Amino acid sequence: MRISLFITCYNDTLFPEIGIAVVRVLERLGHTIDFPYAQTCCGQMHYNTGYQPEALPLVRRFVEVFRDSEVVCVPSSSCVTMMREHYEKIALASGDRSLQSEVAALLPRVYEFTEMLVHRLGVEDVGAVYPHRVTYHSSCHSLRNLHLGDVPIRLLRNVRGLELIPMEAGDLCCGFGGTFSIKNSAVSGAMLEEKLQYIKKTQAEVCTACDNSCLMHIGGALHRQRANMRTEHIATILASDSDSRVPSNGAR
Amino acid sequence: MSPVPAHDFKDSRSPDFPTAALPLLQDAQLRNNLRHATGIIQGKRARVVGEMPDWQALREAGQRIRAHAHEYLDLYLEQFEDRCTAAGGHVHWARDAAEANLIVVQLAKHSTGKVIKIKSMTTEETGLNRALEAAGISPVETDLAELIVQLGHDKPSHIVVPALHKNRRQVRELFARTMNLPDLGDRPEDLAEAARLHLRRQFLSTPVAISGANFLIAETGGVCIVESEGNGRMCLTLPRTLISVAGIDKIIPRFQDLEVMLQLLPRSATGERMNPYNSVWTGVHPGDGPQEFHIVLLDNRRTEVLRDPEARETLHCIRCGACQNTCPVYRQTGGHAYGSVYAGPIGAILTPQLAMMERGQSLPYASSLCGACYEVCPVKINIPEILIHLRGRVVTGRPKALSALHPEAVVMRAMRWIFSNSTRFSMAQRVGRIAQRPWIRRSGWIERLPSVLGRWTRTRDLRPLPAQSFREWFHGRHESSAVLPQSSEPHHE
């Protein structure tokens, strides 16, 4: 299958290794990756911060860039949530009929990365090898908006050598919240501190998630506290095999 | 226009949420109390909700009952007025807090200089106690938690458990001091007994009671209050005169709708299958209970809330507090950071709307949009969606001259400009890589950033932008040319 990759603006800029990992996994499964260079951002930051009109041109851009794609893979639950929960509303508010129908036609072909593997491609074992103790953080968007359920867990359970350690209070928000982490940084920090107690209690080597936004926040604090744990996006773990060394956050 | 000092539900001098949260985050005792109390209520709620196979259908029904009642609010309110009046009750209409307080004060004037009160967030909203005191009438709170708040000259921090921020040792100290009981123990039964003795005298000697309401039943003209302690039942039955104050949003069409509401409310609020005390009364009955009944129907900008179709479901709220207990933000700060009697997620959407978006603008931002509130809401209020919508109203409501220059607006416009063209975007990535250089420490991470971004690095390090973006990697892998393609740019900006 020809899979179009929407890497998302922050992964493109800050975490290119996630895109590289997604490409590795999908190519290993025999698919071809299409990366339209005209893509930029889904508009989530503008929309969620209250600048809804500023998000409209970004919605148009996304639709124009991906309208002919067979499927679109997005390694970020929050960006997919933005599309699924708000694109139709934005298109409706714009009064642009053709945008409305294009959004409606495109959305069913947009998948979060792990969701695409399990639900669209029917794969739970991607042939990964990752001999580490790992705990999984369910981001709020993957849990409550995309209802991914145990999809990421099923993928992780099939990784050779990986020991999956369950986390208490798994549905507790880590406190990132986009611009919330800046506008309410003290509260965000307090929420993170509570979450970190549960994360550290697992004594895992790696905390993983489907969203690098949470992981940037969690990993930033783990690094600040010189904790003996690092964060890795789930794509990095699924891309690891016995032949390849995938660059990790900690190695940089 | 009113001789009674009217207090708004939100103190105009209260600081914004991030500022108000700071001292609360430093209060280790408070945060322990919050975590402990909300954890217990959440656990109880989860158990009794989990045993209901039709919980989602009940939520759906609750949502529809509320939406229908508000769709035909004018009809149901008049029906309520007719039926209540026919049953011997007196119905008063109050446009705002000042009018409501004036009505209550005038009705209560013939009392013995004091009134007993059932816990009511609506009268907290109107600031009724201050209005009563100004008229020489002492309000005596009879709900245990409200008594704790009143004796401590404190403010409620939770809509169901107003003294949630206090633990029992703190309550013991307060009772020992204010009730002159130096030997008081701190077991729950010791505290309950002290409150019982303190309150019993008040119940037996006060001829006027003031209450709120959980539901107004249009079909019968009846009023419903649910509670746990029985102190409310005392107030509803012993005095000669009962005055209830209720927001116009509290209406439900039929008596039968209580079947749904009285399953949703106690399970969501206190984690009980049913409330220990469920009172429903209709007008007055000779020889039984109060012989004079007044109900004050309060608007206080609720009709303004109804005007916004994107946010009107805020009024569906049945004040269960489940969103507060589950909210990870509320659980850190408690209710006082919200500067309003309505705290937590529901307060973050209700307060600014009741203030016509003139105050409380920081509240829609006091959320990580985690969605836990929506998940537990018994009437399915999509709080995260409304928060986002109200953020939009905050932005568009800025004064015209300021809005273009607002620093955040400038950043957002710049980001939109950058994201509107992929060449600009990759240029910005390159600029970012150069600009960050002075901030990268020997560890290879950014540990301190200037200005607003410094709020990030206060508690977290930041991994710098790597040498190559993903698009550069992908391009390098597929093409020989070093220049990123631009021909695929969509036609519009």
Side-chain angles (χ1 to χ4, degrees):
Chain A
M1 189 189 293
R2 187 173 166 82
I3 297 171
S4 297
L5 175 61
F6 178 65
I7 183 66
T8 77
C9 60
Y10 71 100
N11 278 324
D12 189 355
T13 309
L14 287 160
F15 307 103
E17 72 275 14
I18 303 317
I20 298 170
V22 169
V23 169
R24 287 222 174 116
V25 172
L26 295 176
E27 286 183 346
R28 201 162 62 198
L29 295 170
H31 303 286
T32 310
I33 304 301
D34 157 54
F35 181 79
Y37 291 101
Q39 65 177 281
T40 57
C41 166
C42 69
Q44 180 186 195
M45 179 181 72
H46 290 93
Y47 192 84
N48 283 359
T49 312
Y51 295 82
Q52 283 93 357
E54 304 276 4
L56 177 62
L58 302 177
V59 175
R60 280 191 201 283
R61 161 172 288 266
F62 180 85
V63 169
E64 284 175 29
V65 171
F66 290 100
R67 59 156 70 100
D68 297 324
S69 298
E70 190 178 351
V71 287
V72 183
C73 175
V74 187
S76 164
S77 317
S78 67
C79 301
V80 177
T81 298
M82 166 67 186
M83 297 171 197
R84 283 198 195 146
E85 301 206 341
H86 302 130
Y87 269 25
E88 285 180 323
K89 210 164 139 183
I90 294 167
L92 198 65
S94 76
D96 180 342
R97 287 275 175 84
S98 72
L99 182 63
Q100 288 163 27
S101 57
E102 285 192 306
V103 164
L106 176 55
L107 282 183
R109 288 178 280 136
V110 177
Y111 295 87
E112 184 279 329
F113 172 60
T114 61
E115 182 185 51
M116 161 163 261
L117 289 172
V118 173
H119 289 161
R120 182 69 175 80
L121 304 177
V123 181
E124 291 191 12
D125 183 351
V126 297
V129 180
Y130 195 76
H132 297 285
R133 292 195 316 278
V134 175
T135 192
Y136 173 72
H137 162 63
S138 319
S139 70
C140 298
H141 286 112
S142 65
L143 188 72
R144 299 196 183 89
N145 299 89
L146 302 188
H147 305 286
L148 288 188
D150 67 344
V151 160
I153 298 292
R154 270 143 72 188
L155 289 161
L156 291 171
R157 283 202 197 291
N158 282 306
V159 175
R160 316 289 180 277
L162 186 148
E163 184 192 344
L164 189 65
I165 304 170
M167 193 192 302
E168 274 175 56
D171 59 353
L172 183 67
C173 175
C174 70
F176 171 67
T179 47
F180 173 80
S181 63
I182 299 285
K183 288 170 92 85
N184 276 287
S185 59
V187 180
S188 169
M191 289 160 73
L192 175 58
E193 204 42 58
E194 184 176 6
K195 187 76 196 182
L196 282 177
Q197 288 174 14
Y198 295 113
I199 294 175
K200 288 178 184 167
K201 207 171 159 187
T202 64
Q203 299 195 314
E205 297 162 71
V206 174
C207 174
T208 190
C210 297
D211 286 77
N212 256 334
S213 41
C214 307
L215 292 181
M216 179 168 75
H217 171 74
I218 294 167
L222 289 172
H223 190 267
R224 169 67 53 91
Q225 299 173 10
R226 305 292 180 255
N228 196 19
M229 192 188 289
R230 65 180 196 277
T231 54
E232 293 286 2
H233 190 277
I234 192 166
T236 315
I237 292 174
L238 298 181
S240 304
D241 55 37
S242 43
D243 314 321
S244 70
R245 278 238 0 113
V246 172
S248 74
N249 283 357
R252 251 158 222 280
Chain B
M1 59 172 194
S2 149
V4 178
H7 255 278
D8 223 319
F9 56 91
K10 189 176 186 305
D11 194 331
S12 52
R13 292 159 303 165
S14 52
D16 67 5
F17 183 86
T19 311
L22 284 178
L24 300 168
L25 292 172
Q26 303 302 319
D27 188 339
Q29 177 72 69
L30 170 77
R31 291 178 67 196
N32 269 336
N33 295 353
L34 283 168
R35 228 173 274 192
H36 178 71
T38 55
I40 286 177
I41 308 174
Q42 274 198 90
K44 285 172 72 182
R45 179 204 165 271
R47 271 198 302 282
V48 296
V49 164
E51 68 189 19
M52 299 287 280
D54 61 344
W55 183 252
Q56 295 309 328
L58 270 173
R59 288 177 78 212
E60 193 79 33
Q63 178 191 36
R64 288 184 186 197
I65 289 168
R66 299 296 280 155
H68 173 85
H70 292 158
E71 187 77 20
Y72 300 98
L73 189 59
D74 48 345
L75 298 177
Y76 286 124
L77 283 171
E78 287 184 357
Q79 189 182 21
F80 174 83
E81 181 181 32
D82 289 347
R83 305 285 154 91
C84 180
T85 308
H90 302 279
V91 178
H92 308 263
W93 299 85
R95 191 173 296 129
D96 55 24
E99 278 191 20
N101 291 348
L102 184 63
I103 293 165
V104 176
V105 166
Q106 280 175 349
L107 290 171
K109 258 186 186 155
H110 67 272
S111 188
T112 54
K114 63 177 179 181
V115 293
I116 45 175
K117 283 189 74 202
I118 305 182
K119 179 172 93 69
S120 152
M121 288 300 114
T122 309
T123 62
E124 292 278 358
E125 175 187 324
T126 66
L128 177 64
N129 285 3
R130 277 165 297 203
L132 287 166
E133 281 159 6
I137 304 165
S138 310
V140 179
E141 295 290 351
T142 66
D143 175 86
L144 182 55
E146 281 283 49
L147 178 67
I148 294 165
V149 168
Q150 187 178 39
L151 290 175
H153 303 288
D154 204 349
K155 287 180 175 173
S157 69
H158 188 286
I159 54 179
V160 174
V161 196
L164 179 120
H165 56 291
K166 297 283 185 208
N167 68 20
R168 61 189 160 104
R169 275 169 296 280
Q170 294 169 307
V171 173
R172 190 216 90 85
E173 291 308 315
L174 178 69
F175 280 8
R177 183 162 52 78
T178 56
M179 296 177 186
N180 194 21
L181 301 166
D183 302 326
L184 185 65
D186 70 356
R187 297 176 309 157
E189 39 284 41
D190 298 332
L191 302 175
E193 182 63 10
R196 183 176 291 124
L197 293 171
H198 176 82
L199 289 171
R200 188 58 53 106
R201 286 190 295 274
Q202 311 288 354
F203 290 133
L204 294 172
S205 63
T206 312
V208 176
I210 296 173
S211 83
N214 287 106
F215 302 105
L216 307 172
I217 306 152
E219 178 185 50
T220 62
V223 182
C224 173
I225 284 189
V226 299
E227 41 128 7
S228 300
E229 296 167 0
N231 293 342
R233 177 68 61 78
M234 295 279 199
C235 295
L236 294 173
T237 50
L238 286 171
R240 213 190 67 78
T241 303
L242 172 63
I243 308 164
S244 303
V245 182
I248 54 173
D249 52 303
K250 295 282 174 76
I251 207 104
I252 54 172
R254 302 169 304 170
F255 187 82
Q256 202 194 325
D257 297 329
L258 287 177
E259 179 221 334
V260 172
M261 293 306 170
L262 295 187
Q263 291 188 75
L264 289 172
L265 181 53
R267 285 174 197 262
S268 301
T270 47
E272 292 167 304
R273 296 190 178 103
M274 84 183 267
N275 286 95
Y277 293 87
N278 297 268
S279 304
V280 183
W281 70 97
T282 309
V284 292
H285 297 275
D288 183 13
Q291 294 303 295
E292 198 179 322
F293 171 58
H294 298 269
I295 177 132
V296 181
L297 299 176
L298 174 75
D299 183 347
N300 212 23
R301 294 158 178 170
R302 282 162 176 76
T303 46
E304 295 293 331
V305 180
L306 282 175
R307 201 175 282 186
D308 181 352
E310 304 257 359
R312 66 165 60 128
E313 70 177 19
T314 305
L315 292 184
H316 291 183
C317 176
I318 56 173
R319 309 286 191 265
C320 72
C323 63
Q324 303 184 318
N325 302 327
T326 198
C327 177
V329 173
Y330 177 92
R331 278 161 49 84
Q332 300 299 335
T333 66
H336 292 157
Y338 294 79
S340 157
V341 54
Y342 303 117
I346 186 62
I349 60 172
L350 183 57
T351 302
Q353 290 190 79
L354 290 180
M356 310 268 284
M357 304 306 288
E358 284 163 11
R359 273 175 281 123
Q361 288 103 332
S362 66
L363 293 177
Y365 292 96
S367 166
S368 63
L369 302 177
C370 83
C373 48
Y374 181 32
E375 200 170 58
V376 298
C377 177
V379 289
K380 292 180 77 168
I381 302 171
N382 193 336
I383 295 176
E385 277 298 309
I386 298 176
L387 286 166
I388 293 172
H389 170 72
L390 294 178
R391 290 175 182 189
R393 280 179 63 184
V394 168
V395 169
T396 53
R398 285 185 191 134
K400 273 252 152 48
L402 282 174
S403 71
L405 298 171
H406 192 284
E408 185 185 87
V410 171
V411 170
M412 289 292 166
R413 269 204 314 278
M415 294 300 279
R416 202 262 293 140
W417 184 80
I418 288 167
F419 288 142
S420 292
N421 179 300
S422 61
T423 311
R424 268 180 225 150
F425 180 41
S426 36
M427 189 76 81
Q429 291 175 330
R430 266 174 276 157
V431 170
R433 288 203 285 265
I434 295 164
Q436 70 180 352
R437 276 182 199 156
W439 303 98
I440 301 173
R441 295 279 152 257
R442 196 170 302 164
S443 65
W445 287 58
I446 295 168
E447 293 169 9
R448 188 185 294 171
L449 280 167
S451 176
V452 174
L453 292 175
R455 295 189 199 159
W456 176 275
T457 47
R458 212 170 285 161
T459 48
R460 299 151 286 213
D461 291 341
L462 184 66
R463 210 188 69 171
L465 274 61
Q468 196 180 36
S469 68
F470 175 77
R471 61 182 60 230
E472 287 164 343
W473 174 84
F474 196 89
H475 181 68
R477 184 181 188 233
H478 289 263
E479 322 285 335
S480 50
S481 151
V483 183
L484 281 171
Q486 293 160 33
S487 54
S488 53
E489 201 62 27
H491 59 269
H492 77 92
E493 283 281 297

